[in-house]
């Protein structure tokens, strides 16, 4: 039960960080050393996808446990 919530919280944090890094890397959000850097424009979506995957795992675990 606690693992599900841990995956969910970490997933949400990763999605938010990944979104922020992506926007900074694409120079949509300025005011940072990362702004306009293609490295962060690449790392951001990877982190975002990892966060989405963790959220999906948490939701699938939640659904499976509630079915039994």
């Amino acid at each position: 039960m606690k693992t599900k919530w841990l995956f969910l919280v970490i997933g949400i944090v990763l999605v938010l960080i990944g979104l922020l890094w992506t926007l900074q890397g694409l120079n949509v959000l300025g005011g940072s050393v990362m702004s306009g850097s293609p490295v962060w424009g690449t790392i951001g979506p990877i982190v975002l996808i990892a966060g989405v995957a963790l959220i999906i795992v948490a939701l699938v675990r939640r659904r499976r446990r509630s079915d039994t």
Side-chain angles (χ1 to χ4, degrees), residues 19-37 40:
L19 182 62
L20 176 67
W21 287 353
T22 301
L23 293 175
Q24 286 179 330
L26 297 175
N27 210 19
V28 175
L29 292 176
S32 171
V33 180
M34 298 186 297
S35 297
S37 174
W40 296 107

Side-chain angles (χ1 to χ4, degrees), residues 1-46:
M1 175 89 71
K2 291 181 183 179
T3 307
K4 158 187 76 169
W5 287 107
L6 181 64
F7 279 8
L8 190 61
V9 169
I10 291 173
I12 291 170
V13 169
L14 286 177
V15 165
L16 293 174
I17 290 172
L19 182 62
L20 176 67
W21 287 353
T22 301
L23 293 175
Q24 286 179 330
L26 297 175
N27 210 19
V28 175
L29 292 176
S32 171
V33 180
M34 298 186 297
S35 297
S37 174
V39 172
W40 296 107
T42 304
I43 293 173
I46 294 169

